[in-house]
Amino acid sequence: MSDAETSTVVRAPDDRLIVALDLPDSERAIAMADRLDESVSVYKLGLGLLASNGLSLVGVLHRRKKRVFLDLKLFDIGATVERAVAGIAGLGPELLTVHGDPHVVEAALTGVRRAGSETRILAVTLLTSVDRNDLDRCLIREGPVDRLVLERARRAFEAGADGVVASAGEAAMIRSLPTARGKLVVTPGIRLAGASTDDQKRVATPAAAFQAGASHIVVGRPVIQAPDPLAAVGQVLDSIAGR
């Protein structure tokens, strides 16, 4: 470990910060979690880790007293979603994503109840890597992106979702919905000021996301690809302190 890493100031964790362990395999994911241990309390595990014992990492992180967000974006017929969620919820993740279609949300909630779990279901509105041009290519041609996100959030809340995943650009509009009261708005696509947006198209800084109404932010590459990941977490925590 370098002198720069050993001299990094360790900040107390903020449960609103979720660090995405978007790494090639479970060994590197756990190594990163160990590196960030004292400053991060919530981690996201996504599809990229499923082929590398990704679901087993839920138990590993729980043993380290961490909370887990499983970002699997489940989508299928209702019966299949219900069975899948019942099994996954039994692992004890705090958050689990499904697509925001009402029948998917309703099936996921039934699966959670069947498992006797407290897992909260987040509905994905529209990926932050998608813009209007991408929607056109998918033959989704009605209305601007923010209006589409707002309508999907409204329908997901009406179906009972505990929260939604949306970019900071739509968070304020979502918060204006009467059905959004008490719901989670989890915002990915977070980048530190001046950083590259890479393949993300609807991005925001951590402070801007909370100002817009996010309840939680998901930060991946700005932390896990940083020369000093612990220092990068410190930057994020400093930027949201007091918000």
Side-chain angles (χ1 to χ4, degrees), residues 10 26 37 53 56 68 137 140 160-161 183 207 223:
V10 176
S26 56
D37 181 52
N53 301 314
S56 69
V68 178
R137 293 177 65 192
I140 302 173
K183 301 289 188 177
V223 167

Side-chain angles (χ1 to χ4, degrees), residues 31-117:
M32 180 61 67
D34 286 342
R35 193 171 182 181
L36 302 176
D37 181 52
E38 294 183 51
S39 290
V40 177
S41 56
V42 190
Y43 289 101
K44 179 182 84 74
L45 304 176
L47 284 174
L49 282 171
L50 281 190
S52 179
N53 301 314
L55 290 181
S56 69
L57 293 182
V58 178
V60 173
L61 290 169
H62 282 166
R63 288 191 289 275
R64 288 163 166 76
K65 308 301 182 186
K66 304 301 179 182
R67 294 152 63 190
V68 178
F69 168 20
L70 275 179
D71 185 22
L72 302 183
K73 302 181 180 71
L74 299 175
F75 180 79
D76 211 309
I77 63 171
T80 300
V81 171
E82 179 185 337
R83 287 195 300 270
V85 170
I88 293 166
L91 299 174
E94 180 161 331
L95 303 169
L96 172 66
T97 54
V98 301
H99 274 255
D101 303 60
H103 82 277
V104 176
V105 172
E106 290 164 356
L109 292 169
T110 300
V112 168
R113 290 191 294 270
R114 179 172 147 189
S117 169

Side-chain angles (χ1 to χ4, degrees), residues 156-237:
F157 289 147
E158 289 176 353
D162 298 295
V164 295
V165 179
S167 82
E170 296 97 35
M173 293 177 66
I174 291 170
R175 283 292 177 209
S176 72
L177 292 169
T179 49
R181 186 182 298 274
K183 301 289 188 177
L184 303 179
V185 178
V186 177
T187 298
I190 299 298
R191 296 293 180 264
L192 296 172
S196 167
T197 60
D198 40 71
D199 61 349
Q200 298 287 2
K201 296 172 182 176
R202 294 168 17 252
V203 301
T205 64
F210 284 114
Q211 186 174 5
S215 60
H216 298 75
I217 57 172
V218 180
V219 185
R221 279 169 282 191
V223 167
I224 64 174
Q225 294 182 2
D228 184 346
L230 190 58
V233 166
Q235 279 186 268
V236 176
L237 293 173

Side-chain angles (χ1 to χ4, degrees), residues 126 130-145 148 201-202:
L126 192 68
V130 171
D131 61 13
R132 182 66 257 173
N133 289 332
D134 297 307
L135 293 176
D136 289 340
R137 293 177 65 192
C138 294
L139 303 181
I140 302 173
R141 292 176 176 153
E142 292 187 11
V145 168
L148 177 61
K201 296 172 182 176
R202 294 168 17 252

